[in-house]
Coordinates of all heavy atoms in Angstrom, one line a residue:
N24 N 67.7 76.5 44.4 CA 67.5 75.9 45.7 C 68.0 76.7 46.8 O 67.4 76.7 47.9 CB 68.1 74.5 45.7 CG 67.2 73.4 45.1 OD1 66.0 73.6 45.0 ND2 67.8 72.3 44.7
E25 N 69.1 77.3 46.7 CA 69.7 78.1 47.7 C 68.8 79.3 48.1 O 68.5 79.5 49.3 CB 71.1 78.7 47.3 CG 71.7 79.5 48.3 CD 73.0 80.1 47.9 OE1 73.7 79.5 47.0 OE2 73.4 81.2 48.3
I26 N 68.2 79.9 47.1 CA 67.3 81.0 47.3 C 66.0 80.5 48.0 O 65.5 81.1 49.0 CB 66.9 81.8 46.0 CG1 68.2 82.5 45.5 CG2 65.8 82.8 46.3 CD1 68.0 83.1 44.1
L27 N 65.5 79.4 47.5 CA 64.3 78.8 48.1 C 64.5 78.4 49.6 O 63.6 78.6 50.4 CB 63.8 77.6 47.3 CG 63.3 77.9 45.9 CD1 62.8 76.7 45.2 CD2 62.1 78.9 46.0
S28 N 65.7 77.9 49.9 CA 65.9 77.5 51.3 C 66.0 78.7 52.2 O 65.6 78.6 53.4 CB 67.2 76.7 51.4 OG 68.3 77.5 51.1
K29 N 66.3 79.9 51.7 CA 66.3 81.1 52.5 C 64.9 81.6 52.8 O 64.7 82.4 53.7 CB 67.1 82.2 51.8 CG 68.6 82.0 51.6 CD 69.2 83.1 50.9 CE 70.7 82.9 50.6 NZ 71.3 84.0 49.8
L30 N 63.9 81.1 52.1 CA 62.6 81.5 52.3 C 61.9 80.9 53.6 O 60.9 81.4 54.1 CB 61.7 81.1 51.1 CG 61.9 81.9 49.9 CD1 61.2 81.3 48.7 CD2 61.4 83.4 50.1
E31 N 62.5 79.8 54.1 CA 62.0 79.1 55.2 C 61.6 80.1 56.4 O 60.5 80.0 56.9 CB 63.0 78.1 55.8 CG 63.2 76.9 54.9 CD 62.2 75.8 55.0 OE1 61.6 75.7 56.1 OE2 62.0 75.1 54.0
N32 N 62.5 80.9 56.7 CA 62.2 81.8 57.9 C 62.3 83.3 57.5 O 62.6 84.1 58.3 CB 63.3 81.5 59.0 CG 63.3 80.1 59.4 OD1 62.2 79.6 59.8 ND2 64.4 79.4 59.4
A33 N 62.0 83.6 56.3 CA 62.1 85.0 55.8 C 60.9 85.8 56.2 O 59.8 85.4 56.2 CB 62.2 84.9 54.2
D34 N 61.3 87.1 56.5 CA 60.2 88.1 56.8 C 59.7 88.6 55.4 O 60.3 88.2 54.4 CB 60.7 89.2 57.7 CG 61.9 89.9 57.1 OD1 62.1 89.9 55.9 OD2 62.6 90.5 57.9
N35 N 58.7 89.4 55.4 CA 58.2 89.9 54.1 C 59.2 90.7 53.3 O 59.3 90.5 52.0 CB 57.0 90.8 54.3 CG 55.7 90.0 54.6 OD1 55.7 88.8 54.3 ND2 54.7 90.6 55.2
T36 N 60.1 91.5 53.9 CA 61.1 92.2 53.1 C 62.0 91.2 52.5 O 62.3 91.4 51.3 CB 61.8 93.2 54.1 OG1 60.9 94.1 54.7 CG2 62.9 94.0 53.3
T37 N 62.5 90.3 53.2 CA 63.5 89.3 52.7 C 62.8 88.5 51.6 O 63.4 88.2 50.6 CB 64.0 88.4 53.8 OG1 64.6 89.2 54.8 CG2 65.0 87.4 53.3
K38 N 61.5 88.1 51.8 CA 60.8 87.3 50.8 C 60.7 88.1 49.5 O 60.9 87.5 48.5 CB 59.4 87.0 51.4 CG 58.6 86.1 50.5 CD 57.2 85.9 51.0 CE 56.4 87.2 50.8 NZ 55.0 87.2 50.8
N39 N 60.4 89.3 49.6 CA 60.4 90.2 48.4 C 61.7 90.3 47.7 O 61.8 90.2 46.4 CB 59.8 91.6 48.7 CG 58.4 91.5 49.1 OD1 57.6 90.6 48.8 ND2 58.0 92.5 49.9
I40 N 62.8 90.4 48.4 CA 64.1 90.5 47.9 C 64.4 89.2 47.2 O 64.9 89.2 46.0 CB 65.2 90.8 49.0 CG1 65.0 92.2 49.5 CG2 66.6 90.5 48.5 CD1 65.8 92.6 50.7
L41 N 64.1 88.1 47.8 CA 64.4 86.7 47.2 C 63.6 86.5 45.9 O 64.1 86.0 44.9 CB 64.2 85.6 48.2 CG 65.2 85.7 49.4 CD1 64.7 84.7 50.5 CD2 66.6 85.4 49.0
E42 N 62.3 86.9 46.0 CA 61.5 86.8 44.8 C 62.1 87.6 43.6 O 62.1 87.1 42.5 CB 60.1 87.3 45.1 CG 59.1 87.1 43.9 CD 57.7 87.6 44.3 OE1 57.2 87.2 45.3 OE2 57.2 88.4 43.5
N43 N 62.5 88.8 43.9 CA 63.1 89.7 42.9 C 64.4 89.0 42.3 O 64.6 89.1 41.1 CB 63.4 91.1 43.4 CG 62.2 91.9 43.6 OD1 61.2 91.7 43.0 ND2 62.2 92.8 44.5
E44 N 65.2 88.4 43.2 CA 66.4 87.7 42.7 C 66.0 86.6 41.7 O 66.6 86.4 40.7 CB 67.1 87.1 43.9 CG 67.9 88.0 44.7 CD 68.7 87.4 45.8 OE1 69.1 86.2 45.7 OE2 68.9 88.0 46.9
L45 N 64.9 85.8 42.1 CA 64.5 84.8 41.2 C 64.0 85.3 39.8 O 64.3 84.8 38.8 CB 63.4 83.9 41.8 CG 63.8 83.0 43.0 CD1 62.6 82.5 43.7 CD2 64.7 81.9 42.5
V46 N 63.2 86.4 39.9 CA 62.7 87.0 38.7 C 63.9 87.5 37.8 O 63.9 87.3 36.6 CB 61.8 88.2 39.0 CG1 61.4 89.0 37.7 CG2 60.5 87.6 39.6
N47 N 64.9 88.1 38.5 CA 66.1 88.6 37.7 C 66.9 87.4 37.1 O 67.5 87.7 36.0 CB 67.0 89.4 38.6 CG 66.4 90.7 39.0 OD1 65.6 91.3 38.3 ND2 66.8 91.3 40.1
I48 N 66.9 86.3 37.7 CA 67.5 85.1 37.0 C 66.8 84.8 35.7 O 67.4 84.5 34.7 CB 67.5 83.9 37.9 CG1 68.5 84.1 39.1 CG2 68.0 82.6 37.2 CD1 68.4 83.1 40.2
G49 N 65.5 84.9 35.7 CA 64.7 84.9 34.5 C 64.5 83.5 34.0 O 64.4 82.5 34.7
A50 N 64.4 83.4 32.6 CA 64.1 82.2 31.9 C 64.9 81.0 32.2 O 64.5 79.8 32.2 CB 64.0 82.4 30.4
S51 N 66.2 81.2 32.5 CA 67.1 80.1 32.8 C 66.7 79.3 34.1 O 67.0 78.2 34.3 CB 68.5 80.5 32.9 OG 68.7 81.4 34.0
A52 N 65.9 80.0 35.0 CA 65.5 79.3 36.2 C 64.1 78.6 36.0 O 63.7 77.9 36.9 CB 65.3 80.4 37.3
L53 N 63.5 78.8 34.9 CA 62.1 78.2 34.7 C 62.0 76.7 34.9 O 61.1 76.3 35.6 CB 61.5 78.7 33.4 CG 61.2 80.1 33.3 CD1 60.8 80.5 31.9 CD2 60.1 80.5 34.3
P54 N 62.9 75.9 34.3 CA 62.7 74.5 34.5 C 62.7 74.1 36.0 O 61.9 73.3 36.5 CB 63.9 73.8 33.8 CG 64.2 74.8 32.7 CD 63.9 76.2 33.4
Q55 N 63.7 74.6 36.7 CA 63.8 74.3 38.2 C 62.6 74.9 39.0 O 62.1 74.3 39.9 CB 65.1 74.8 38.7 CG 65.3 74.4 40.2 CD 66.7 74.8 40.7 OE1 67.4 75.6 40.1 NE2 67.0 74.3 41.9
L56 N 62.2 76.1 38.6 CA 61.1 76.7 39.3 C 59.8 75.9 39.2 O 59.1 75.6 40.1 CB 60.8 78.1 38.9 CG 61.9 79.2 39.3 CD1 61.6 80.5 38.6 CD2 61.8 79.3 40.8
V57 N 59.5 75.4 38.0 CA 58.3 74.6 37.7 C 58.4 73.3 38.4 O 57.5 72.8 39.0 CB 58.0 74.5 36.2 CG1 56.9 73.5 36.0 CG2 57.7 75.8 35.6
D58 N 59.6 72.7 38.4 CA 59.8 71.4 39.2 C 59.6 71.7 40.7 O 58.9 70.9 41.3 CB 61.2 70.9 39.0 CG 61.4 70.3 37.6 OD1 60.5 70.0 36.9 OD2 62.6 70.1 37.3
Q59 N 60.1 72.8 41.2 CA 59.9 73.1 42.6 C 58.5 73.4 43.0 O 58.0 73.0 44.1 CB 60.8 74.2 43.0 CG 62.3 73.9 43.1 CD 62.6 72.9 44.2 OE1 62.2 73.1 45.4 NE2 63.2 71.8 43.8
L60 N 57.8 74.0 42.1 CA 56.4 74.4 42.4 C 55.5 73.1 42.6 O 54.6 73.2 43.4 CB 55.8 75.2 41.2 CG 54.4 75.7 41.4 CD1 54.4 76.7 42.6 CD2 53.9 76.4 40.1
Q61 N 56.0 72.0 42.1 CA 55.2 70.8 42.2 C 55.5 70.1 43.6 O 54.7 69.2 44.0 CB 55.5 69.8 41.1 CG 55.1 70.4 39.7 CD 55.5 69.5 38.6 OE1 55.0 68.4 38.4 NE2 56.5 70.0 37.8
V62 N 56.5 70.5 44.3 CA 56.8 69.8 45.6 C 56.9 70.7 46.8 O 56.7 70.3 47.9 CB 58.2 69.1 45.4 CG1 58.1 67.9 44.4 CG2 59.3 70.0 45.1
V63 N 57.1 72.0 46.6 CA 57.2 72.9 47.8 C 55.8 73.3 48.2 O 54.8 73.2 47.5 CB 58.1 74.2 47.5 CG1 59.5 73.8 47.2 CG2 57.5 75.0 46.4
R64 N 55.7 73.8 49.4 CA 54.5 74.2 50.0 C 54.7 75.6 50.7 O 55.8 76.0 50.9 CB 54.0 73.2 51.0 CG 53.6 71.8 50.4 CD 52.4 71.9 49.6 NE 52.1 70.6 48.9 CZ 52.3 70.4 47.7 NH1 52.8 71.3 46.9 NH2 52.0 69.2 47.1
G65 N 53.6 76.1 51.2 CA 53.6 77.3 52.0 C 54.2 78.5 51.3 O 53.9 78.8 50.1
I66 N 55.0 79.3 52.0 CA 55.6 80.5 51.5 C 56.4 80.2 50.3 O 56.3 81.0 49.3 CB 56.5 81.2 52.6 CG1 55.6 81.7 53.7 CG2 57.3 82.3 52.0 CD1 56.4 82.2 54.9
K67 N 57.2 79.2 50.3 CA 58.0 78.8 49.1 C 57.1 78.7 47.8 O 57.5 79.2 46.8 CB 58.7 77.5 49.3 CG 59.9 77.6 50.3 CD 60.6 76.3 50.3 CE 61.7 76.2 51.4 NZ 62.3 74.9 51.4
R68 N 56.0 78.0 48.0 CA 55.1 77.8 46.8 C 54.6 79.1 46.3 O 54.5 79.3 45.1 CB 54.0 76.8 47.2 CG 53.2 76.4 46.0 CD 52.3 75.3 46.3 NE 51.9 74.6 45.0 CZ 51.1 73.6 45.0 NH1 50.7 73.0 46.1 NH2 50.7 73.1 43.8
G69 N 54.2 79.9 47.2 CA 53.7 81.3 46.8 C 54.7 82.1 46.1 O 54.4 82.7 45.1
V70 N 55.9 82.1 46.6 CA 57.0 82.9 46.0 C 57.3 82.3 44.6 O 57.5 83.1 43.6 CB 58.2 82.9 46.9 CG1 59.4 83.5 46.1 CG2 57.9 83.8 48.1
V71 N 57.4 81.0 44.5 CA 57.7 80.4 43.2 C 56.6 80.7 42.2 O 56.8 81.1 41.0 CB 57.9 78.8 43.3 CG1 58.0 78.2 41.9 CG2 59.1 78.6 44.1
A72 N 55.3 80.6 42.6 CA 54.2 80.9 41.7 C 54.2 82.3 41.3 O 54.0 82.6 40.1 CB 52.9 80.5 42.4
M73 N 54.4 83.2 42.2 CA 54.5 84.6 41.8 C 55.7 84.9 40.9 O 55.5 85.7 40.0 CB 54.6 85.5 43.1 CG 54.1 86.9 43.0 SD 52.4 86.9 42.5 CE 52.6 88.3 41.4
T74 N 56.8 84.3 41.1 CA 57.9 84.4 40.2 C 57.6 84.0 38.8 O 57.9 84.7 37.9 CB 59.1 83.6 40.8 OG1 59.5 84.1 42.1 CG2 60.3 83.8 39.9
L75 N 56.9 82.9 38.7 CA 56.5 82.4 37.3 C 55.6 83.4 36.7 O 55.8 83.7 35.5 CB 55.9 81.0 37.5 CG 56.8 79.9 37.9 CD1 56.0 78.6 38.2 CD2 57.8 79.6 36.8
I76 N 54.7 83.9 37.4 CA 53.8 84.9 36.8 C 54.5 86.2 36.4 O 54.3 86.7 35.3 CB 52.7 85.3 37.9 CG1 51.7 84.1 38.1 CG2 51.9 86.5 37.4 CD1 50.8 84.2 39.2
R77 N 55.5 86.6 37.2 CA 56.2 87.8 36.9 C 57.2 87.6 35.7 O 57.4 88.5 34.9 CB 57.0 88.3 38.1 CG 56.1 88.9 39.2 CD 56.8 89.4 40.4 NE 57.8 90.4 40.1 CZ 58.8 90.7 40.9 NH1 59.0 90.1 42.0 NH2 59.7 91.6 40.5
I78 N 57.7 86.4 35.6 CA 58.6 86.1 34.4 C 57.7 86.1 33.2 O 58.2 86.6 32.1 CB 59.4 84.8 34.6 CG1 60.4 85.0 35.7 CG2 60.0 84.4 33.3 CD1 61.2 83.7 36.1
G79 N 56.5 85.7 33.3 CA 55.5 85.9 32.2 C 55.5 84.7 31.2 O 55.6 83.6 31.5
D80 N 55.3 85.1 29.9 CA 55.0 84.2 28.8 C 56.0 83.1 28.7 O 55.7 82.0 28.3 CB 55.0 85.0 27.5 CG 53.7 85.8 27.4 OD1 52.7 85.5 28.0 OD2 53.7 86.8 26.7
A81 N 57.3 83.3 29.0 CA 58.3 82.3 29.0 C 58.0 81.1 29.9 O 58.4 80.0 29.6 CB 59.7 82.9 29.3
S82 N 57.2 81.4 30.9 CA 56.8 80.3 31.9 C 55.8 79.3 31.3 O 55.8 78.2 31.8 CB 56.2 80.9 33.1 OG 57.1 81.8 33.8
V83 N 55.0 79.8 30.4 CA 53.9 79.0 29.9 C 54.3 77.6 29.4 O 53.7 76.6 29.8 CB 53.0 79.8 28.9 CG1 52.0 78.9 28.3 CG2 52.5 81.0 29.5
K84 N 55.3 77.5 28.5 CA 55.6 76.2 27.9 C 56.1 75.2 29.0 O 55.8 74.1 28.9 CB 56.6 76.4 26.8 CG 58.0 76.7 27.2 CD 58.9 76.7 26.0 CE 60.3 77.1 26.4 NZ 61.2 77.1 25.3
Y85 N 56.8 75.7 30.0 CA 57.2 74.8 31.1 C 56.0 74.4 32.0 O 56.0 73.2 32.4 CB 58.2 75.5 32.0 CG 59.5 75.8 31.2 CD1 59.8 77.0 30.7 CD2 60.5 74.8 31.0 CE1 60.9 77.3 29.9 CE2 61.6 75.0 30.3 CZ 61.9 76.3 29.8 OH 63.0 76.5 29.1
L86 N 55.1 75.3 32.2 CA 53.9 74.9 33.0 C 53.0 73.9 32.2 O 52.5 72.9 32.8 CB 53.1 76.2 33.3 CG 53.7 77.1 34.3 CD1 53.0 78.5 34.3 CD2 53.7 76.5 35.7
E87 N 52.9 74.1 30.9 CA 52.1 73.2 30.1 C 52.7 71.8 30.1 O 52.1 70.8 30.2 CB 52.0 73.7 28.6 CG 51.1 74.9 28.5 CD 51.1 75.6 27.2 OE1 52.0 75.4 26.4 OE2 50.1 76.3 26.9
K88 N 54.0 71.8 29.9 CA 54.8 70.5 29.9 C 54.6 69.8 31.2 O 54.3 68.6 31.3 CB 56.3 70.7 29.6 CG 57.1 69.5 29.6 CD 58.5 69.8 29.3 CE 59.4 68.5 29.3 NZ 60.8 68.8 29.1
A89 N 54.7 70.5 32.3 CA 54.5 69.9 33.7 C 53.1 69.4 33.9 O 52.9 68.3 34.4 CB 54.9 70.9 34.8
A90 N 52.1 70.1 33.4 CA 50.7 69.7 33.5 C 50.4 68.4 32.8 O 49.6 67.6 33.2 CB 49.8 70.8 33.0
K91 N 51.1 68.3 31.6 CA 50.9 67.0 30.9 C 51.4 65.8 31.6 O 50.9 64.7 31.4 CB 51.5 67.2 29.5 CG 50.7 68.1 28.5 CD 51.4 68.2 27.2 CE 50.7 69.2 26.4 NZ 51.4 69.6 25.2
S92 N 52.5 66.0 32.3 CA 53.1 64.8 32.9 C 52.7 64.6 34.4 O 52.9 63.6 34.9 CB 54.6 64.9 32.9 OG 55.1 66.1 33.6
N93 N 52.0 65.6 34.9 CA 51.5 65.5 36.3 C 50.1 66.0 36.4 O 49.9 67.2 36.6 CB 52.5 66.3 37.2 CG 52.1 66.3 38.7 OD1 51.0 65.7 39.1 ND2 52.9 66.8 39.5
K94 N 49.2 65.1 36.3 CA 47.7 65.5 36.3 C 47.3 66.2 37.6 O 46.4 67.0 37.6 CB 46.8 64.3 36.0 CG 47.0 63.8 34.6 CD 46.6 64.8 33.6 CE 46.8 64.4 32.2 NZ 46.7 65.5 31.3
D95 N 48.0 65.9 38.7 CA 47.6 66.5 40.0 C 48.1 68.0 40.0 O 47.5 68.8 40.7 CB 48.3 65.8 41.2 CG 47.7 64.5 41.4 OD1 46.6 64.2 41.1 OD2 48.5 63.6 41.9
F96 N 49.0 68.3 39.1 CA 49.5 69.7 39.0 C 48.8 70.5 37.9 O 48.9 71.7 37.9 CB 51.0 69.6 38.7 CG 51.7 70.9 38.5 CD1 51.9 71.7 39.6 CD2 52.1 71.4 37.3 CE1 52.6 73.0 39.5 CE2 52.8 72.6 37.1 CZ 53.0 73.4 38.2
E97 N 48.0 69.8 37.2 CA 47.3 70.5 36.0 C 46.6 71.7 36.4 O 46.7 72.8 35.7 CB 46.4 69.4 35.3 CG 45.9 69.9 34.0 CD 45.2 68.8 33.3 OE1 44.7 67.8 33.9 OE2 45.1 68.9 32.0
W98 N 45.8 71.7 37.4 CA 44.9 72.8 37.8 C 45.8 74.0 38.2 O 45.5 75.2 37.9 CB 43.9 72.5 38.8 CG 44.5 72.3 40.2 CD1 45.0 71.2 40.8 CD2 44.7 73.3 41.2 NE1 45.4 71.4 42.1 CE2 45.3 72.7 42.3 CE3 44.4 74.7 41.2 CZ2 45.6 73.4 43.5 CZ3 44.7 75.4 42.4 CH2 45.3 74.8 43.5
V99 N 46.9 73.7 38.9 CA 47.8 74.8 39.3 C 48.4 75.5 38.1 O 48.4 76.7 37.9 CB 49.0 74.3 40.2 CG1 50.0 75.4 40.5 CG2 48.4 73.7 41.5
A100 N 48.9 74.7 37.1 CA 49.5 75.2 35.9 C 48.5 76.0 35.1 O 48.8 77.1 34.6 CB 50.0 74.0 35.0
E101 N 47.3 75.5 35.0 CA 46.2 76.2 34.3 C 45.9 77.6 34.9 O 45.7 78.6 34.2 CB 45.0 75.4 34.1 CG 45.1 74.2 33.2 CD 43.9 73.3 33.2 OE1 43.0 73.4 34.0 OE2 44.0 72.3 32.4
Y102 N 45.8 77.6 36.2 CA 45.6 78.8 36.9 C 46.7 79.8 36.7 O 46.4 81.0 36.4 CB 45.5 78.6 38.5 CG 45.4 79.8 39.3 CD1 44.2 80.5 39.3 CD2 46.5 80.3 39.9 CE1 44.1 81.7 40.1 CE2 46.4 81.5 40.6 CZ 45.2 82.2 40.7 OH 45.2 83.4 41.4
L103 N 47.9 79.4 36.8 CA 49.1 80.3 36.6 C 49.1 80.8 35.1 O 49.4 82.0 34.9 CB 50.4 79.6 37.0 CG 50.6 79.4 38.5 CD1 51.9 78.6 38.7 CD2 50.5 80.7 39.3
I104 N 48.8 80.0 34.2 CA 48.8 80.4 32.8 C 47.8 81.4 32.6 O 48.0 82.4 31.9 CB 48.6 79.1 31.9 CG1 49.9 78.3 31.9 CG2 48.3 79.6 30.4 CD1 49.7 76.9 31.3
R105 N 46.6 81.3 33.2 CA 45.5 82.3 33.1 C 46.0 83.6 33.7 O 45.8 84.7 33.1 CB 44.2 81.8 33.8 CG 43.4 80.9 32.9 CD 42.0 80.7 33.5 NE 42.0 80.3 34.9 CZ 42.0 79.1 35.4 NH1 42.1 78.1 34.5 NH2 42.0 78.8 36.7
E106 N 46.7 83.6 34.8 CA 47.2 84.8 35.4 C 48.2 85.4 34.5 O 48.2 86.7 34.4 CB 47.8 84.4 36.8 CG 46.8 84.1 37.8 CD 45.9 85.2 38.2 OE1 46.3 86.3 38.4 OE2 44.6 85.0 38.2
I107 N 49.1 84.7 33.9 CA 50.1 85.2 33.1 C 49.5 85.9 31.8 O 49.9 87.0 31.5 CB 51.1 84.1 32.6 CG1 52.0 83.7 33.8 CG2 52.0 84.6 31.5 CD1 52.7 82.3 33.6
K108 N 48.5 85.2 31.2 CA 47.9 85.8 30.0 C 47.0 87.0 30.3 O 46.8 87.8 29.5 CB 47.1 84.7 29.3 CG 48.1 83.6 28.7 CD 47.4 82.6 27.9 CE 48.4 81.7 27.3 NZ 47.9 80.7 26.4
A109 N 46.5 87.1 31.6 CA 45.7 88.2 31.9 C 46.5 89.5 32.2 O 46.0 90.6 32.2 CB 44.9 87.9 33.2
A110 N 47.8 89.3 32.5 CA 48.7 90.4 32.9 C 49.0 91.3 31.7 O 49.0 91.0 30.6 CB 50.0 89.9 33.5

């Protein structure tokens, strides 16, 4: 949450640094990232989505679980899973 709150007014360089920090946290951040992806908008949502793609296969099970419990989120999860598998 601290990193995501810093994204509010971040320029592109800062946004990239924060995204890299999230990727470096890795799999332990996945539950919170997937939860946040369902509620954040704008730049935050883009950074969270890109982070999940960059973390890769470990993200898939969390995205699938979220899609099952939130039908409005299903298309987002499916899109990200396709992106992860294509990489």
Side-chain angles (χ1 to χ4, degrees):
N24 275 340
E25 182 182 329
I26 293 172
L27 293 178
S28 66
K29 291 179 184 177
L30 288 168
E31 291 277 331
N32 303 307
D34 59 23
N35 281 339
T36 302
T37 304
K38 183 182 76 158
N39 292 337
I40 290 168
L41 295 172
E42 182 180 311
N43 287 335
E44 283 182 31
L45 289 169
V46 170
N47 289 335
I48 293 170
S51 65
L53 288 172
Q55 186 176 9
L56 287 172
V57 172
D58 287 346
Q59 287 296 306
L60 186 63
Q61 296 174 69
V62 295
V63 296
R64 297 288 177 255
I66 291 171
K67 287 182 184 180
R68 190 171 196 176
V70 169
V71 171
M73 205 55 220
T74 300
L75 291 169
I76 291 168
R77 289 179 59 199
I78 291 174
D80 289 333
S82 302
V83 172
K84 72 177 179 180
Y85 294 97
L86 290 165
E87 289 173 339
K88 182 179 177 186
K91 286 179 186 167
S92 62
N93 180 353
K94 290 300 175 192
D95 293 333
F96 180 71
E97 191 172 21
W98 73 270
V99 175
E101 288 173 356
Y102 172 79
L103 291 176
I104 290 167
R105 281 194 306 273
E106 290 294 313
I107 290 165
K108 291 185 177 185

